[in-house]
Amino acid sequence: MARIPHGRLATYGQIADLIGAFGCARQVGWALRRLKLPSSVPWHRVVNAQGRISMSLSREGSDWIQRDFLLAEGIPVDEEGRLPLRQFLWHPDAHAGD
């Protein structure tokens, strides 16, 4: 996840695939939810495949923190957590060294 550039997004499934854990998107989400905040891991750049922040009471406000971080990076996010995934999706093969 550290390779996801500023202002770009990845999906939980994309991260799972990149680490060889095909079909384990939920496990990626669970792992990210267990990070202590603040974190040097750019967890906020990972969203669901529908182009949304996974909003949930169980996230104890980290969903709103994620929204604020993405807005600060220039990624528009509406009040329901929707964002333009296609426009901001990271394509690691398209970037040298990624």
Side-chain angles (χ1 to χ4, degrees):
M1 282 181 293
R3 293 177 15 206
I4 305 168
H6 182 275
R8 290 288 178 196
L9 301 168
T11 66
Y12 297 107
Q14 185 179 12
I15 298 301
D17 290 352
L18 286 170
I19 64 171
F22 304 101
C24 294
R26 286 180 190 237
Q27 286 81 356
V28 169
W30 291 333
L32 292 179
R33 277 193 9 202
R34 281 155 183 78
L35 287 172
K36 292 192 189 286
L37 299 180
S39 173
S40 62
V41 175
W43 61 271
H44 62 282
R45 297 180 185 147
V46 183
V47 299
N48 70 33
Q50 289 76 40
R52 291 176 172 258
I53 293 172
S54 296
M55 307 294 267
S56 170
L57 290 175
S58 69
R59 290 192 56 186
E60 300 175 344
S62 66
D63 42 4
W64 291 100
I65 294 169
Q66 182 177 13
R67 182 179 183 276
D68 289 344
F69 284 174
L70 293 175
L71 288 170
E73 291 192 15
I75 299 172
V77 185
D78 71 14
E79 291 294 322
E80 285 79 42
R82 292 181 299 236
L83 42 87
L85 182 58
R86 282 188 187 165
Q87 182 181 350
F88 291 94
L89 186 64
W90 173 53
H91 299 283
D93 295 338
H95 299 90
D98 287 349

